Amino acid sequence: MALKPTGLPPQAALDALGEPELLELVRTQPLPEHVAIIMDGNGRWATRRGFPRVAGHREGVKTARAIFRAADTLGLRYLTLYAFSTENWTRPEDEVSTLMSLLERAIHEELPELMSRNARLRVLGRPNGVPAGIRRGLDHVVRETRNNTGLNILMAFNYGGRDELIDAFRALARRVQAGELKPEEISEEHIGRALYTADIPDPDLLIRTSGEMRVSNFLLWQIAYTELWITPTLWPDFGPAHFYRAVAEFQGRTRRFGGV
Ligand code: FPP
């Protein structure tokens, strides 16, 4: 890592850097192409302050916007945000409905900035089961931004990693049934191309906030060789400096992809 020699261990040297220095530092090294984030801790952030959980989600939307800008400033190609899982429907009804309206409004309000930054929105997840209003809103922004060539924002919405694999295996089974493909021909490429992320490279780095040490059914196939970076910081407290720090630590790691 191209840190100036300070005599400090690398972590402590990074601790001494603020957002502009971290940004400058990560720009001197090869960037990850795809960063995925499990945005966790909104509820705890609110509860610790004596606010209702939805206040945390409201702050969480602001963080998502700040990280979109940071990823664009950095020149990343792909940023995946885990916005709503298939399991999240089991939360209390008022939390789910507030979350839906927050996400709907955020997507609508973000369109001008997506356009001005030449960013493209795509959605990963099952369209069935998504409320009609939010589905229309998402489809609209996806359509409007489809020719943009800058940062790709992949919003995992009504997403489940196992559901994604089930959908892929069903699609492949249909091709086998139709005689287009033999079972013994099925390769990693066939499975990869049957996923929601068909033409998208696997994440290089997966960030999870709020300290939980789990993958939570996120991009199960795609993260086989992804570097994990977990911070105790809750999502509403996460900012561009944390994001650049994660990228800086990623740049200091050696990826072996199962080799030596
Ligand atoms: C985790 O907090 C967050 C979610 C359930 C997803 C919602 C995310 C946002 C509102 C951020 C905005 C996203 C976009 C793409 C605009 P939690 O409720 O699981 O927190 P807890 O673990 O502390 O309960």
Side-chain angles (χ1 to χ4, degrees), residues 33-36 76-80 122 151-154 199-201:
E33 194 175 15
H34 183 174
V35 177
L76 285 193
R77 297 292 304 135
Y78 299 92
L79 175 70
T80 299
R122 297 166 73 175
L151 172 67
N152 288 276
I153 304 210
L154 313 171
D199 56 342
I200 296 162

Side-chain angles (χ1 to χ4, degrees), residues 26-34 71 74-76 204 247 250-251:
V26 295
R27 278 183 161 154
T28 64
Q29 302 283 320
L31 288 173
E33 194 175 15
H34 183 174
L74 203 51
L76 285 193
D204 302 293
V247 173
F250 164 84
Q251 290 170 327

Side-chain angles (χ1 to χ4, degrees), residues 50-191:
F51 299 149
R53 290 175 53 82
V54 293
H57 296 317
R58 218 167 278 128
E59 287 303 308
V61 170
K62 292 184 198 161
T63 300
R65 192 167 283 139
I67 299 307
F68 153 47
R69 289 175 181 154
D72 184 45
T73 302
L74 203 51
L76 285 193
R77 297 292 304 135
Y78 299 92
L79 175 70
T80 299
L81 299 175
Y82 202 0
F84 198 83
S85 74
T86 44
E87 291 76 29
N88 288 152
W89 296 109
T90 61
R91 293 187 175 207
E93 214 177 296
D94 57 338
E95 181 176 340
V96 171
S97 65
T98 311
L99 203 42
M100 287 299 132
S101 19
L102 272 175
L103 290 172
E104 194 175 344
R105 186 143 33 96
I107 295 151
H108 173 75
E109 287 175 359
E110 215 45 36
L111 181 56
E113 188 158 345
L114 287 166
M115 295 309 290
S116 69
R117 289 179 182 268
N118 190 27
R120 177 177 179 189
L121 180 78
R122 297 166 73 175
V123 181
L124 311 177
R126 279 188 179 160
N128 291 345
V130 175
I134 190 156
R135 194 161 154 184
R136 267 197 303 275
L138 281 171
D139 287 348
H140 175 68
V141 177
V142 166
R143 238 187 351 264
E144 291 293 310
T145 61
R146 72 178 183 278
N147 294 321
N148 291 350
T149 54
L151 172 67
N152 288 276
I153 304 210
L154 313 171
M155 191 164 123
F157 187 81
N158 196 30
Y159 176 88
R162 288 186 172 178
D163 284 344
E164 179 180 33
L165 289 170
I166 291 169
D167 291 348
F169 297 156
R170 284 180 181 160
L172 290 173
R174 278 192 291 272
R175 291 186 58 197
V176 170
Q177 205 170 30
E180 291 170 27
L181 192 63
K182 294 195 179 75
E184 58 276 17
E185 286 171 351
I186 295 176
S187 64
E188 284 193 21
E189 282 67 35
H190 286 103
I191 295 174

Side-chain angles (χ1 to χ4, degrees), residues 15-52:
D15 283 346
L17 303 181
E19 184 187 323
E21 294 83 25
L22 283 165
L23 176 58
E24 201 183 320
L25 173 68
V26 295
R27 278 183 161 154
T28 64
Q29 302 283 320
L31 288 173
E33 194 175 15
H34 183 174
V35 177
I37 309 185
I38 302 178
M39 311 176 287
D40 196 14
N42 292 347
R44 270 163 286 173
W45 182 92
T47 307
R48 282 180 198 172
R49 285 166 176 74
F51 299 149

